[in-house]
Amino acid sequence: MAKTIIAGPCSVESREQLRDVTAVLSRMPQVTLIRAGVWKPRTRPGGFEGLGEPALQWMHELALEYGVRYCCEVARPEHVELCQRHGIDTVWLGARTTANPFMVEEICEALKGSGMSVLVKNPVCPDARLWLGAIERLRQAGVANITAVHRGFSMYNNQGYRNAPLWEIPMELRHEMPDVPMLCDPSHIGGSRELVEPIALAARLLDYDGLMVEVHPHPADAWTDGSQQLSPDEFNTLLDKYLNTPAPADDSLSQRLTPLRQQIDDIDHSLLTLLARRMALSRQIADIKRELHSPVYQSARWADVLADRLQLASDLGLDTDFTREMLEKIHGESVRVQLG
Ligand code: PEP
Ligand code: MN
């Protein structure tokens, strides 16, 4: 399937800047849509908040002149009407909006009957249900063409990214809504130019349907998100690598995968059987603790268990953070079971 490629500046800064970037992108046939922010959600007040309607006017004129289509973020119902008035048929809900069902509802009301296509960025917080909910609300409002955009999640520990990718959350969305195309926004996940390519290529390996990438004619001078925007040349190089990654050769690959997948299936079954046995033991322990009037949670025992398992995991070459998280989950469930 052909990939959807959306590219363009974080924000419209002037007619010249928009024209420069449009001139280059219009010569790249792989680019499906040009993105350009007109209303910018700033985390703190005082920054550049977008040029608003005059920028839409330029987009209207340049769309006709260069034969391109633009999309931009809408954060209020009025934005939808202004976009429509200026010939923009595709808009996106930003991460802060997707996290706010009241605002999604108001925007859906404005979108009713508009025929517009809508891109839905993941919510800022790592909650797949808010993302699903925004898409469901759009569907209820009759929006037919909906695409999800994975732009990462705001976390206390962002693991070196601007927004932690948490790939399992978009995977959950794809599982729940397999018919909704999924794009990756490596610019807002990475937050820096160097990270854009590895993230985009990871999305390619995960079979995403395309990319939304920030491209600026002169990234060093950008008014917003300067450190993550690519120059047109850098974008060209990225696109080459992204689009020329060979598609998987289905037959031969699946033949080699089958025996390995069979082993994975067997191991998963064993893991679950062992977990069930572990929980059954927890229940027996709970009964004894009750008779002894002994507390369910015993911090010294838990510290010993954790230290022992982390040592074993390290000897086996397993990642420490992963092991700790998994053990905490199992222990949490064991405590829940013991509390009855
Ligand atoms: C953007 O695309 O420029 C933007 C502000 O996105 P997000 O909502 O993902 O932060
Ligand atoms: Mn941006």
Side-chain angles (χ1 to χ4, degrees):
M1 261 267 285
K3 299 288 184 194
T4 300
I5 305 291
I6 303 177
C10 180
S11 310
V12 179
E13 298 163 6
S14 67
R15 195 176 199 286
E16 291 61 44
Q17 173 245 16
L18 187 63
R19 175 190 286 279
D20 281 358
V21 79
T22 302
V24 203
L25 295 175
S26 67
R27 291 195 294 273
M28 301 172 74
Q30 313 90 326
V31 175
T32 330
L33 262 175
I34 299 182
R35 60 149 288 147
V38 164
W39 298 282
K40 299 308 298 175
R42 305 317 299 270
T43 303
R44 302 181 66 186
F48 170 63
E49 294 191 332
L51 295 177
E53 198 172 358
L56 292 177
Q57 183 60 38
W58 302 329
M59 286 155 91
H60 204 169
E61 292 161 14
L62 293 169
L64 295 173
E65 189 177 332
Y66 285 91
V68 295
R69 283 168 55 226
Y70 290 100
C71 59
C72 77
E73 174 172 351
V74 290
R76 295 180 200 286
E78 309 86 88
H79 296 165
V80 174
E81 283 130 40
L82 284 165
C83 283
Q84 255 188 314
R85 216 179 295 156
H86 292 91
I88 289 181
D89 62 7
T90 306
V91 294
W92 80 77
L93 301 187
R96 294 154 191 82
T97 303
T98 308
N100 179 348
F102 283 128
M103 200 39 82
V104 172
E105 197 66 52
E106 287 187 23
I107 295 174
C108 283
E109 204 48 47
L111 283 164
K112 274 186 186 158
S114 70
M116 281 179 152
S117 301
V118 181
L119 304 153
V120 187
K121 296 247 198 157
N122 66 251
V124 272
C125 45
D127 183 345
R129 289 177 319 145
L130 279 169
W131 205 359
L132 286 162
I135 295 173
E136 284 162 355
R137 287 191 161 86
L138 287 161
R139 282 184 171 160
Q140 282 171 8
V143 175
N145 194 355
I146 301 172
T147 299
V149 181
H150 172 212
R151 52 76 80 193
F153 302 87
S154 195
M155 307 276 289
Y156 178 65
N157 173 5
N158 278 342
Q159 305 154 2
Y161 298 95
R162 178 176 179 191
N163 291 292
L166 308 182
W167 298 99
E168 61 277 21
I169 294 183
M171 276 182 211
E172 189 180 333
L173 191 100
R174 287 164 85 189
H175 177 72
E176 294 288 328
M177 295 182 163
D179 51 331
V180 174
M182 175 70 70
L183 307 185
C184 177
D185 172 347
S187 312
H188 289 90
I189 294 177
S192 71
R193 202 157 294 120
E194 304 71 50
L195 286 178
V196 173
E197 181 180 304
I199 297 165
L201 296 182
R204 181 76 172 79
L205 287 175
L206 292 170
D207 205 26
Y208 276 42
D209 299 286
L211 298 177
M212 179 193 259
V213 185
E214 288 191 336
V215 179
H216 190 284
H218 309 287
D221 303 328
W223 296 2
T224 53
D225 288 352
S227 56
Q228 69 192 31
Q229 303 209 55
L230 301 186
S231 69
D233 280 349
E234 289 165 337
F235 175 59
N236 217 352
T237 309
L238 167 70
L239 217 49
D240 254 5
K241 286 196 193 159
Y242 178 80
L243 293 174
N244 294 327
T245 308
D250 273 348
D251 284 353
S252 63
L253 206 68
S254 62
Q255 272 171 29
R256 281 168 53 203
L257 286 178
T258 307
L260 299 175
R261 283 183 168 160
Q262 184 63 55
Q263 292 181 56
I264 293 263
D265 291 350
D266 291 348
I267 290 177
D268 282 353
H269 290 184
S270 306
L271 281 174
L272 291 176
T273 309
L274 286 172
L275 270 177
R277 269 176 57 196
R278 197 185 191 285
M279 291 308 158
L281 289 169
S282 288
R283 278 189 203 94
Q284 287 184 34
I285 287 177
D287 291 341
I288 299 171
K289 281 182 181 164
R290 211 168 291 126
E291 277 176 38
L292 295 174
H293 304 290
S294 145
V296 162
Y297 175 70
Q298 297 181 5
S299 60
R301 162 74 181 153
W302 170 234
D304 285 349
V305 167
L306 195 58
D308 173 75
R309 308 315 188 250
L310 287 177
Q311 183 56 52
L312 175 61
S314 152
D315 295 345
L316 293 169
L318 285 167
D319 181 80
T320 304
D321 288 344
F322 161 73
T323 309
R324 181 189 294 275
E325 242 178 76
M326 187 189 64
L327 289 168
E328 280 169 352
K329 266 254 184 277
I330 294 174
H331 182 241
E333 176 63 6
S334 174
V335 167
R336 189 189 69 80
V337 161
Q338 290 188 47
L339 289 173

